[in-house]
Amino acid sequence: MDQQLILDVIELVSSDDENVVGTSLPKISEKMNLGRINYIQSDRQNIIFPGYNREVFAELVNYISNKQKNDKLQCNHSFYCTMENLLRVFNPHLWMADCSMEHYFSLLAKSCTDQLILSLPPVFFKDLIRGGLDKATKSMRATINNLFSYDKVITPTHLEGNHWSLTVVNIKSRSITLYDSIKSSIYEDQINLLVEFLNDAYLKYEKPVDDQRLEWSLNFGESPLQNNTSDCGVFTCTTARHVLMGKPLYYTQEDAPLLRHRITYEILNNVLLPTPHIS
Protein backbone atom coordinates (compact mmCIF):
# COMPACT_ATOMS: atom_id res chain seq x y z
CA MET A 1 0.00 0.00 0.00
CA ASP A 2 1.22 3.53 -0.79
CA GLN A 3 2.30 5.09 2.49
CA GLN A 4 1.52 8.65 1.33
CA LEU A 5 -2.13 8.18 2.14
CA ILE A 6 -4.84 10.72 2.64
CA LEU A 7 -4.39 13.16 5.53
CA ASP A 8 -1.04 11.82 6.76
CA VAL A 9 -1.76 8.22 7.65
CA ILE A 10 0.40 7.15 10.57
CA GLU A 11 -0.67 3.55 11.08
CA LEU A 12 -3.08 0.89 9.98
CA VAL A 13 -6.08 -0.15 11.97
CA SER A 14 -5.71 -3.65 13.33
CA SER A 15 -8.14 -6.23 11.99
CA ASP A 16 -9.15 -7.61 15.38
CA ASP A 17 -12.24 -5.37 15.58
CA GLU A 18 -15.22 -7.41 14.36
CA ASN A 19 -16.75 -4.33 12.75
CA VAL A 20 -13.73 -3.63 10.56
CA VAL A 21 -13.47 -5.37 7.21
CA GLY A 22 -10.30 -7.39 6.82
CA THR A 23 -8.68 -4.94 4.45
CA SER A 24 -5.94 -2.41 5.01
CA LEU A 25 -7.93 0.41 6.54
CA PRO A 26 -5.98 3.61 7.18
CA LYS A 27 -6.18 5.37 10.48
CA ILE A 28 -5.93 9.14 10.20
CA SER A 29 -3.46 11.05 12.35
CA GLU A 30 -4.42 11.66 15.94
CA LYS A 31 -3.93 15.34 15.26
CA MET A 32 -7.16 15.22 13.25
CA ASN A 33 -8.93 13.59 16.22
CA LEU A 34 -10.63 10.93 14.09
CA GLY A 35 -11.81 7.44 14.99
CA ARG A 36 -11.91 4.33 12.86
CA ILE A 37 -13.96 3.96 9.73
CA ASN A 38 -16.09 0.91 10.51
CA TYR A 39 -18.49 -1.24 8.62
CA ILE A 40 -21.93 -0.29 9.91
CA GLN A 41 -24.40 -2.99 10.84
CA SER A 42 -27.89 -1.49 10.88
CA ASP A 43 -31.41 -2.84 10.58
CA ARG A 44 -32.13 0.25 8.47
CA GLN A 45 -29.28 -0.17 6.01
CA ASN A 46 -31.54 -1.15 3.09
CA ILE A 47 -33.46 2.07 3.64
CA ILE A 48 -30.56 4.41 4.28
CA PHE A 49 -28.06 2.83 1.86
CA PRO A 50 -29.71 0.35 -0.56
CA GLY A 51 -27.26 -2.42 -1.49
CA TYR A 52 -24.86 -1.69 1.37
CA ASN A 53 -22.88 -4.69 2.59
CA ARG A 54 -19.36 -5.60 3.68
CA GLU A 55 -18.19 -5.98 0.10
CA VAL A 56 -19.38 -2.51 -0.86
CA PHE A 57 -17.72 -1.07 2.23
CA ALA A 58 -14.46 -2.89 1.45
CA GLU A 59 -14.50 -1.55 -2.10
CA LEU A 60 -14.86 2.00 -0.82
CA VAL A 61 -12.03 1.56 1.67
CA ASN A 62 -9.70 -0.08 -0.83
CA TYR A 63 -10.34 2.55 -3.50
CA ILE A 64 -9.68 5.48 -1.19
CA SER A 65 -6.67 3.79 0.47
CA ASN A 66 -4.87 3.43 -2.83
CA LYS A 67 -5.22 7.07 -3.80
CA GLN A 68 -3.08 10.10 -3.03
CA LYS A 69 -4.80 12.82 -1.05
CA ASN A 70 -4.52 15.27 -3.95
CA ASP A 71 -5.90 12.89 -6.57
CA LYS A 72 -8.95 14.44 -8.21
CA LEU A 73 -12.24 12.66 -8.69
CA GLN A 74 -12.71 11.54 -12.26
CA CYS A 75 -16.05 13.17 -12.95
CA ASN A 76 -17.21 15.70 -15.52
CA HIS A 77 -18.78 18.04 -13.00
CA SER A 78 -16.02 17.86 -10.38
CA PHE A 79 -13.20 20.24 -11.21
CA TYR A 80 -11.29 20.30 -7.96
CA CYS A 81 -12.80 17.76 -5.53
CA THR A 82 -9.94 15.59 -4.26
CA MET A 83 -9.70 12.29 -2.42
CA GLU A 84 -8.82 14.25 0.69
CA ASN A 85 -12.15 16.05 0.36
CA LEU A 86 -13.93 12.75 -0.18
CA LEU A 87 -12.32 11.29 2.93
CA ARG A 88 -13.87 14.13 4.91
CA VAL A 89 -17.23 12.77 3.78
CA PHE A 90 -16.41 9.14 4.55
CA ASN A 91 -14.92 9.72 8.00
CA PRO A 92 -17.15 10.46 10.99
CA HIS A 93 -16.71 13.68 12.95
CA LEU A 94 -15.44 15.78 10.04
CA TRP A 95 -17.10 18.68 8.26
CA MET A 96 -17.82 18.28 4.58
CA ALA A 97 -15.79 20.63 2.40
CA ASP A 98 -17.27 23.16 -0.02
CA CYS A 99 -16.27 21.18 -3.10
CA SER A 100 -17.88 17.98 -1.82
CA MET A 101 -21.11 19.86 -1.16
CA GLU A 102 -21.03 21.43 -4.60
CA HIS A 103 -20.27 18.08 -6.20
CA TYR A 104 -23.19 16.36 -4.48
CA PHE A 105 -25.66 19.17 -5.14
CA SER A 106 -24.69 19.12 -8.81
CA LEU A 107 -25.37 15.38 -8.86
CA LEU A 108 -28.77 15.99 -7.25
CA ALA A 109 -29.69 18.62 -9.83
CA LYS A 110 -28.67 16.38 -12.73
CA SER A 111 -30.63 13.44 -11.31
CA CYS A 112 -33.98 15.26 -11.22
CA THR A 113 -35.63 14.29 -14.48
CA ASP A 114 -39.11 15.65 -13.73
CA GLN A 115 -38.03 19.21 -12.93
CA LEU A 116 -35.31 21.62 -13.95
CA ILE A 117 -33.02 22.36 -11.02
CA LEU A 118 -30.29 24.97 -10.77
CA SER A 119 -27.66 24.27 -8.13
CA LEU A 120 -25.81 27.32 -6.84
CA PRO A 121 -22.28 26.74 -5.48
CA PRO A 122 -21.38 27.27 -1.80
CA VAL A 123 -19.39 30.39 -2.74
CA PHE A 124 -22.52 31.95 -4.21
CA PHE A 125 -23.22 34.28 -1.29
CA LYS A 126 -19.59 35.38 -1.03
CA ASP A 127 -19.53 36.23 -4.72
CA LEU A 128 -22.85 37.99 -4.41
CA ILE A 129 -21.47 40.22 -1.65
CA ARG A 130 -18.30 40.95 -3.61
CA GLY A 131 -19.74 41.65 -7.03
CA GLY A 132 -23.50 41.39 -7.16
CA LEU A 133 -25.53 39.50 -9.74
CA ASP A 134 -22.93 39.44 -12.52
CA LYS A 135 -20.06 38.09 -10.40
CA ALA A 136 -22.28 35.55 -8.66
CA THR A 137 -23.60 34.34 -12.02
CA LYS A 138 -20.15 34.10 -13.59
CA SER A 139 -18.91 31.96 -10.70
CA MET A 140 -21.43 29.22 -11.50
CA ARG A 141 -20.27 26.22 -13.47
CA ALA A 142 -23.52 26.06 -15.42
CA THR A 143 -24.35 28.56 -18.14
CA ILE A 144 -27.50 30.42 -17.12
CA ASN A 145 -29.59 32.04 -19.80
CA ASN A 146 -32.60 32.77 -17.63
CA LEU A 147 -32.81 31.96 -13.94
CA PHE A 148 -36.61 32.02 -14.20
CA SER A 149 -36.68 29.13 -16.65
CA TYR A 150 -35.86 26.77 -13.77
CA ASP A 151 -38.38 25.11 -11.47
CA LYS A 152 -36.21 25.28 -8.37
CA VAL A 153 -32.92 26.78 -7.27
CA ILE A 154 -30.98 24.99 -4.53
CA THR A 155 -27.84 25.90 -2.65
CA PRO A 156 -25.90 24.58 0.34
CA THR A 157 -25.79 27.69 2.50
CA HIS A 158 -22.80 28.22 4.77
CA LEU A 159 -24.11 30.17 7.77
CA GLU A 160 -21.39 32.24 9.46
CA GLY A 161 -18.72 30.03 7.93
CA ASN A 162 -19.25 27.03 10.21
CA HIS A 163 -22.68 25.51 9.57
CA TRP A 164 -24.33 24.06 6.47
CA SER A 165 -28.03 24.49 5.81
CA LEU A 166 -30.21 24.01 2.74
CA THR A 167 -31.94 26.80 0.84
CA VAL A 168 -34.57 25.93 -1.78
CA VAL A 169 -36.14 28.53 -4.05
CA ASN A 170 -39.38 27.58 -5.79
CA ILE A 171 -39.43 29.89 -8.78
CA LYS A 172 -43.07 29.40 -9.73
CA SER A 173 -44.53 29.83 -6.24
CA ARG A 174 -42.09 32.68 -5.41
CA SER A 175 -41.10 31.01 -2.17
CA ILE A 176 -37.83 30.44 -0.29
CA THR A 177 -37.57 27.55 2.14
CA LEU A 178 -34.73 27.09 4.61
CA TYR A 179 -33.96 23.65 6.06
CA ASP A 180 -31.69 23.75 9.08
CA SER A 181 -30.61 20.80 11.21
CA ILE A 182 -29.87 22.93 14.28
CA LYS A 183 -32.66 25.51 13.85
CA SER A 184 -30.20 28.38 13.68
CA SER A 185 -31.40 31.97 13.53
CA ILE A 186 -28.37 33.37 11.66
CA TYR A 187 -29.92 33.47 8.23
CA GLU A 188 -31.20 37.01 7.73
CA ASP A 189 -28.23 38.39 5.79
CA GLN A 190 -28.14 35.45 3.38
CA ILE A 191 -31.88 35.52 2.75
CA ASN A 192 -31.88 39.26 2.12
CA LEU A 193 -29.02 38.82 -0.34
CA LEU A 194 -30.85 35.98 -2.04
CA VAL A 195 -34.03 38.03 -2.45
CA GLU A 196 -31.99 40.84 -3.92
CA PHE A 197 -30.30 38.42 -6.30
CA LEU A 198 -33.63 36.92 -7.40
CA ASN A 199 -35.16 40.32 -8.05
CA ASP A 200 -32.12 41.54 -9.96
CA ALA A 201 -32.28 38.36 -12.05
CA TYR A 202 -36.00 38.93 -12.62
CA LEU A 203 -35.36 42.44 -13.94
CA LYS A 204 -32.48 41.24 -16.10
CA TYR A 205 -34.02 38.14 -17.62
CA GLU A 206 -37.77 38.78 -17.56
CA LYS A 207 -37.60 42.54 -18.25
CA PRO A 208 -40.94 43.53 -16.72
CA VAL A 209 -42.45 46.70 -18.17
CA ASP A 210 -42.96 48.41 -14.84
CA ASP A 211 -39.68 47.21 -13.27
CA GLN A 212 -41.69 45.98 -10.31
CA ARG A 213 -39.86 43.62 -8.00
CA LEU A 214 -41.30 40.32 -6.88
CA GLU A 215 -42.53 39.41 -3.43
CA TRP A 216 -40.96 36.27 -1.98
CA SER A 217 -42.35 34.29 0.95
CA LEU A 218 -39.94 32.80 3.48
CA ASN A 219 -40.64 29.39 4.98
CA PHE A 220 -38.82 27.11 7.39
CA GLY A 221 -38.99 23.47 6.37
CA GLU A 222 -38.95 20.59 8.81
CA SER A 223 -35.58 18.91 9.15
CA PRO A 224 -34.21 16.10 11.30
CA LEU A 225 -31.97 17.55 13.99
CA GLN A 226 -28.31 16.76 14.52
CA ASN A 227 -26.83 16.38 18.00
CA ASN A 228 -23.22 17.15 17.17
CA THR A 229 -21.23 19.86 15.40
CA SER A 230 -19.89 17.85 12.46
CA ASP A 231 -22.79 16.31 10.54
CA CYS A 232 -24.48 19.45 9.18
CA GLY A 233 -23.17 18.74 5.67
CA VAL A 234 -24.52 15.20 5.78
CA PHE A 235 -27.91 16.44 6.97
CA THR A 236 -27.97 19.17 4.31
CA CYS A 237 -27.17 16.77 1.45
CA THR A 238 -29.65 14.16 2.64
CA THR A 239 -32.46 16.65 3.23
CA ALA A 240 -31.87 18.11 -0.24
CA ARG A 241 -32.18 14.63 -1.76
CA HIS A 242 -35.45 13.92 0.04
CA VAL A 243 -36.95 17.33 -0.70
CA LEU A 244 -36.16 17.21 -4.41
CA MET A 245 -37.42 13.64 -4.72
CA GLY A 246 -40.58 14.45 -2.76
CA LYS A 247 -39.83 11.85 -0.09
CA PRO A 248 -40.46 12.09 3.68
CA LEU A 249 -37.48 12.98 5.86
CA TYR A 250 -37.24 9.71 7.77
CA TYR A 251 -33.54 9.69 8.70
CA THR A 252 -32.10 10.53 12.13
CA GLN A 253 -28.77 11.36 13.75
CA GLU A 254 -28.13 7.63 14.27
CA ASP A 255 -28.14 7.18 10.49
CA ALA A 256 -25.44 9.81 9.89
CA PRO A 257 -22.42 7.42 9.73
CA LEU A 258 -24.18 5.19 7.19
CA LEU A 259 -25.34 8.25 5.25
CA ARG A 260 -21.69 9.28 4.99
CA HIS A 261 -20.91 5.93 3.38
CA ARG A 262 -23.82 6.33 0.99
CA ILE A 263 -22.83 9.86 -0.06
CA THR A 264 -19.23 8.69 -0.57
CA TYR A 265 -20.45 5.85 -2.80
CA GLU A 266 -22.73 8.16 -4.79
CA ILE A 267 -19.99 10.71 -5.38
CA LEU A 268 -17.44 8.09 -6.42
CA ASN A 269 -19.87 6.36 -8.79
CA ASN A 270 -21.56 9.55 -9.98
CA VAL A 271 -24.99 8.04 -9.37
CA LEU A 272 -27.86 8.80 -7.04
CA LEU A 273 -29.17 5.67 -5.31
CA PRO A 274 -32.94 5.09 -4.90
CA THR A 275 -34.72 6.87 -2.09
CA PRO A 276 -37.48 4.60 -0.70
CA HIS A 277 -40.82 6.15 0.12
CA ILE A 278 -41.28 5.51 3.83
CA SER A 279 -44.47 6.82 5.41
Side-chain angles (χ1 to χ4, degrees), residues 253-271:
Q253 175 66 65
E254 292 181 358
D255 298 317
L258 187 53
L259 285 168
R260 285 179 176 270
H261 292 191
R262 171 182 172 134
I263 294 171
T264 301
Y265 179 92
E266 289 176 320
I267 290 176
L268 273 178
N269 291 278
N270 195 32
V271 62

Side-chain angles (χ1 to χ4, degrees), residues 63-75:
Y63 184 85
I64 294 174
S65 297
N66 286 291
K67 294 292 183 178
Q68 298 287 328
K69 68 178 183 180
N70 292 325
D71 286 348
K72 295 182 179 180
L73 295 180
Q74 301 300 312
C75 180

Side-chain angles (χ1 to χ4, degrees), residues 15-74:
S15 59
D16 56 355
D17 188 325
E18 64 179 5
N19 290 323
V20 179
V21 170
T23 59
S24 295
L25 181 61
K27 181 180 180 182
I28 310 307
S29 67
E30 293 180 2
K31 183 179 179 180
M32 299 296 292
N33 193 27
L34 298 179
R36 298 175 178 180
I37 307 176
N38 295 336
Y39 173 75
I40 299 169
Q41 187 67 48
S42 169
D43 57 1
R44 287 165 53 83
Q45 65 186 45
N46 289 332
I47 297 174
I48 301 302
F49 187 164
Y52 182 75
N53 55 36
R54 289 181 178 274
E55 288 70 29
V56 169
F57 173 72
E59 289 174 3
L60 290 174
V61 171
N62 288 335
Y63 184 85
I64 294 174
S65 297
N66 286 291
K67 294 292 183 178
Q68 298 287 328
K69 68 178 183 180
N70 292 325
D71 286 348
K72 295 182 179 180
L73 295 180
Q74 301 300 312

Side-chain angles (χ1 to χ4, degrees), residues 81 89 95-108 119-122 155-157 164-165 232-237 267:
C81 194
V89 181
W95 292 347
M96 287 181 62
D98 287 21
C99 59
S100 300
M101 300 294 291
E102 181 176 358
H103 188 121
Y104 195 73
F105 268 60
S106 178
L107 178 58
L108 287 174
S119 177
L120 303 178
T155 180
T157 306
W164 291 111
S165 66
C232 54
V234 178
F235 275 65
T236 297
C237 288
I267 290 176

Side-chain angles (χ1 to χ4, degrees), residues 163 179-184 221-228 231-232 235 239 249 251-256:
H163 175 62
Y179 297 86
D180 188 355
S181 56
I182 63 171
K183 293 189 180 300
S184 172
E222 290 297 323
S223 170
L225 299 180
Q226 64 186 96
N227 61 16
N228 60 26
D231 283 329
C232 54
F235 275 65
T239 295
L249 294 164
Y251 72 95
T252 68
Q253 175 66 65
E254 292 181 358
D255 298 317

